[in-house]
Amino acid sequence: MATSTTTLFRDSYEEGGRDDVTEQIGLIWQQIKAPVIVPLLRMLVFLCLVMSVMLFVEKVYMAIVIVLVKLFGKKPEKRYRWEPITDDLEIGSSANYPMVLVQIPMFNEKEVYQLSIGAACGLSWPSDRVIIQVLDDSTDPTIKDMVEMECQRWASKGINIKYEIRGNRNGYKAGALKQGMKHSYVNHCDYVVIFDADFQPEHDFLIRSIPFLIHNPQVGLVQARWKFVNSDECLMTRMQEMSLDYHFTVEQEVGSSTYAFFGFNGTAGVWRIAALNEAGGWKDRTTVEDMDLAVRASLKGWKFVFLGDLKVKNELPSTLKAYRYQQHRWSCGPANLFRKMVMEIARNKKVSLLKKVHVIYNFFFVRKIVAHIVTFVFYCIVIPATVLVPEVVIPKWGAIYIPSIITLLNAVGTPRSLHLLVFWILFENVMSLHRTKATFIGLLEAGRVNEWVVTEKLGDALKNKASIKAARKPRIRIGERLHVLELGVGAYLFFCGCYDVAFGKNHYFIYLYVQAVAFFIVGFGYVGTFVPNS
């Protein structure tokens, strides 16, 4: 009897203690809520609404321009002089063809090196007027030997191919390209074409692109579009296709048609070597050496041409790890470049004020900074927080109408994936976590600002592994798949959803639960292709 009484007293005491703690937390929350939390959240809502309007105006502007271009605009062949290169029988069949350098930077590209080298060597161009330059930074001796043997195999067929290595990896891709331009035989070349290791150009790539440079001395760059060979591999690659198709179909097309400026995509493009040199050549000060070069060349007055009809096959990253590293580089680099170049662009006297405003505001600030920040902060932090602080109200036009219109405008690039629009929204919101973090790292020039991890390419490796090990399921280590940041944000969204169900009135819980599930799926690694280690 005494024991029962003691237990009852202890339980009552502990329950009372917990009630006291809960009351104290509630009291502290009420004390800081009105003077601190509410004003802070209202300020964040205001800033997010401003950024949403900026992004909305940019998307609508580009949509209007692209519609006008499609309806009334002329194709690049009409806006610029373009004539096919003809053979001159009197002075030799290849005399009218300029000397072209084709650079293929590589780093341990075991799965795709044969495809890229083979495609480059198959380009329709006189063999005495093209040099294939394989820039191999591989650290694996076996892979280096394989790449070198492949180059020797093509050389034995009469292809002018050079296998170049260097003693270090300073500057990564930019360093390799810069070193490649220093060889004496490059002095005889007029143009340089760059293909990353997973890119496979069609045989007529040079025939269709080079004439723009030959007949238009003000053009410094011709950029082709990317075509994805593995877009149907998994849902994650379909989501990437939607984002990148919008980039090429709208962003690049608008930049080419209106300002003759856009960001070089780092591959599947042809540079006039004179433009590259005048701009200062390759620099490794950021992880977006391609964008850096494009901005500097544009400030020198060079024009760029985008060819949406000229497509080059390539591979999308199909593992979550590879995609996260790529998105970090693509988000951190532009923000860091903006920090380094904003004053240089503003002070430039060779380009018009309108073009400078376009580069600083539209190209960099809205698309590379605001777009990432508002997506994560507004939709994954601020809107859920208003559930906990009902005193702060978000207008419907900011929470529903503007995001819906922006989403629909983004979807025009890939009509075949319209039915996946909801999945695309959820996935983009999850990835905005890493893009926002990378953007701030770039702006503040902190931590991983210069981190460069080469995007993993699988080629046919996954198919081969699947056929060999079809009967055996891979062992999955849970630690390899856990992503703490995504799980943390997912838990926050789930909590806000539960609070909204219990006490809320705006029915945000439907969105909050679905978005939380998306964060949990990515957090536990169940997205993309999983490649076992063994």
Side-chain angles (χ1 to χ4, degrees):
M1 184 70 178
T3 304
S4 300
T5 303
T6 303
T7 303
L8 182 62
F9 176 79
R10 185 178 70 245
D11 292 344
S12 300
Y13 177 79
E14 290 177 352
E15 184 177 348
R18 284 195 294 269
D19 290 341
D20 289 342
V21 171
T22 304
E23 288 179 7
Q24 289 177 358
I25 293 174
L27 185 61
I28 294 172
W29 170 252
Q30 292 301 325
Q31 287 177 341
I32 66 172
K33 185 179 179 181
V36 179
I37 302 298
V38 172
L40 178 61
L41 191 54
R42 281 178 177 157
M43 182 184 71
L44 286 174
V45 168
F46 173 76
L47 292 175
C48 287
L49 289 175
V50 170
M51 289 190 288
S52 294
V53 170
M54 293 167 64
L55 187 59
F56 172 75
V57 171
E58 174 71 4
K59 296 290 185 181
V60 171
Y61 158 73
M62 287 195 293
I64 293 172
V65 172
I66 203 66
V67 168
L68 293 175
V69 167
K70 296 299 181 183
L71 290 177
F72 308 108
K74 297 179 181 179
K75 290 189 174 183
E77 290 82 357
K78 301 295 183 181
R79 287 188 284 115
Y80 295 91
R81 187 183 170 196
W82 190 95
E83 295 176 5
I85 302 173
T86 56
D87 297 337
D88 192 327
L89 299 177
E90 294 183 2
I91 59 175
S93 62
S94 65
N96 286 342
Y97 289 82
M99 197 72 181
V100 178
L101 174 70
V102 179
Q103 291 185 311
I104 310 175
M106 290 194 171
F107 177 74
N108 293 336
E109 309 288 0
K110 179 181 178 181
E111 310 298 345
V112 295
Y113 74 94
Q114 286 181 311
L115 294 174
S116 59
I117 293 175
C121 292
L123 290 169
S124 297
W125 204 256
S127 59
D128 61 330
R129 307 301 292 171
V130 63
I131 302 173
I132 311 295
Q133 187 186 65
V134 177
L135 304 169
D136 191 9
D137 271 1
S138 299
T139 53
D140 187 324
T142 303
I143 297 176
K144 291 181 77 168
D145 291 342
M146 292 164 64
V147 175
E148 185 175 13
M149 287 178 63
E150 183 69 9
C151 293
Q152 291 174 353
R153 188 173 74 85
W154 282 103
S156 66
K157 296 181 179 182
I159 301 296
N160 189 1
I161 186 169
K162 309 287 186 182
Y163 176 74
E164 306 289 0
I165 59 173
R166 54 190 184 133
N168 56 66
R169 287 193 67 218
N170 293 343
Y172 303 107
K173 179 181 174 181
L177 293 171
K178 184 177 182 179
Q179 184 65 32
M181 297 299 293
K182 293 180 179 179
H183 295 281
S184 58
Y185 54 81
V186 176
N187 296 331
H188 303 291
C189 299
D190 303 295
Y191 310 108
V192 56
V193 190
I194 300 158
F195 295 116
D196 280 354
D198 59 317
F199 277 70
Q200 304 161 48
E202 297 294 335
H203 67 90
D204 62 349
F205 180 90
L206 297 180
I207 292 174
R208 295 174 63 183
S209 58
I210 294 291
F212 284 100
L213 294 158
I214 293 176
H215 301 300
N216 303 277
Q218 77 277 21
V219 172
L221 166 68
V222 175
Q223 172 71 59
R225 183 174 172 171
W226 298 359
K227 179 181 178 181
F228 312 109
V229 297
N230 65 330
S231 58
D232 291 324
E233 186 169 333
C234 59
L235 187 59
M236 191 181 81
T237 53
R238 287 291 291 273
M239 302 300 100
Q240 292 178 65
E241 181 190 38
M242 292 177 71
S243 299
L244 288 169
D245 275 352
Y246 176 82
H247 168 69
F248 286 108
T249 304
V250 179
E251 291 180 345
Q252 298 294 74
E253 192 69 67
V254 168
S256 178
S257 302
T258 54
Y259 301 97
F261 167 78
F262 48 82
F264 174 44
N265 293 117
T267 178
V270 190
W271 277 96
R272 186 187 300 273
I273 292 180
L276 191 152
N277 291 334
E278 186 183 354
W282 295 103
K283 293 185 178 181
D284 58 3
R285 55 181 175 171
T286 69
T287 56
V288 284
E289 72 294 324
D290 44 11
M291 186 181 296
D292 188 351
L293 176 60
V295 173
R296 285 184 281 114
S298 177
L299 295 180
K300 295 291 184 180
W302 292 99
K303 294 183 177 181
F304 304 159
V305 178
F306 173 70
L307 302 181
D309 294 333
L310 181 58
K311 300 178 182 180
V312 181
K313 294 186 291 185
N314 72 295
E315 179 183 326
L316 291 164
S318 56
T319 65
L320 179 61
K321 179 180 178 181
Y323 186 58
R324 285 177 63 181
Y325 277 126
Q326 182 199 68
Q327 291 304 296
H328 173 85
R329 189 171 76 245
W330 285 6
S331 303
C332 179
N336 190 231
L337 183 62
F338 175 73
R339 169 192 169 113
K340 293 178 184 297
M341 289 203 70
V342 61
M343 294 310 299
E344 181 181 342
I345 298 169
R347 289 193 295 261
N348 185 274
K349 296 180 180 180
K350 283 193 174 184
V351 297
S352 66
L353 176 62
L354 189 63
K355 189 169 184 177
K356 286 193 283 188
V357 170
H358 169 72
V359 175
I360 293 175
Y361 176 77
N362 301 79
F363 180 77
F364 272 116
F365 190 62
V366 177
R367 299 183 205 169
K368 310 300 181 185
I369 297 174
V370 167
H372 300 326
I373 294 175
V374 72
T375 303
F376 177 68
V377 175
F378 194 31
Y379 304 120
C380 301
I381 300 295
V382 172
I383 289 180
T386 60
V387 170
L388 308 176
V389 187
E391 292 88 344
V392 180
V393 179
I394 301 175
K396 283 187 177 180
W397 61 263
I400 300 174
Y401 302 144
I402 281 184
S404 299
I405 295 173
I406 290 175
T407 300
L408 290 173
L409 291 176
N410 270 287
V412 299
T414 317
R416 79 183 187 101
S417 297
L418 278 174
H419 63 290
L420 300 174
L421 206 53
V422 172
F423 296 101
W424 179 80
I425 295 168
L426 297 173
F427 181 69
E428 284 294 292
N429 286 350
V430 174
M431 292 311 301
S432 70
L433 163 64
H434 294 284
R435 294 179 184 132
T436 300
K437 184 178 73 169
T439 298
F440 279 114
I441 289 174
L443 288 173
L444 301 175
E445 209 161 35
R448 299 164 54 197
V449 66
N450 289 318
E451 180 185 65
W452 181 286
V453 178
V454 175
T455 304
E456 179 187 25
K457 294 103 180 175
L458 298 181
D460 294 326
L462 191 63
K463 296 177 185 177
N464 295 335
K465 284 185 179 181
S467 61
I468 295 172
K469 303 185 178 183
R472 187 162 45 121
K473 289 186 177 180
R475 290 182 298 172
I476 300 172
R477 296 178 183 175
I478 201 71
E480 294 177 1
R481 305 185 69 146
L482 285 180
H483 305 292
V484 178
L485 285 177
E486 284 89 344
L487 293 175
V489 176
Y492 165 71
L493 291 168
F494 186 78
F495 171 76
C496 292
C498 293
Y499 190 91
D500 194 38
V501 169
F503 308 106
K505 299 177 181 179
N506 47 24
H507 304 294
Y508 282 162
F509 67 88
I510 299 172
Y511 159 73
L512 294 173
Y513 280 147
V514 174
Q515 188 64 71
V517 169
F519 270 96
F520 285 139
I521 289 173
V522 177
F524 284 112
Y526 287 100
V527 66
T529 302
F530 182 72
V531 182
N533 293 329
S534 59

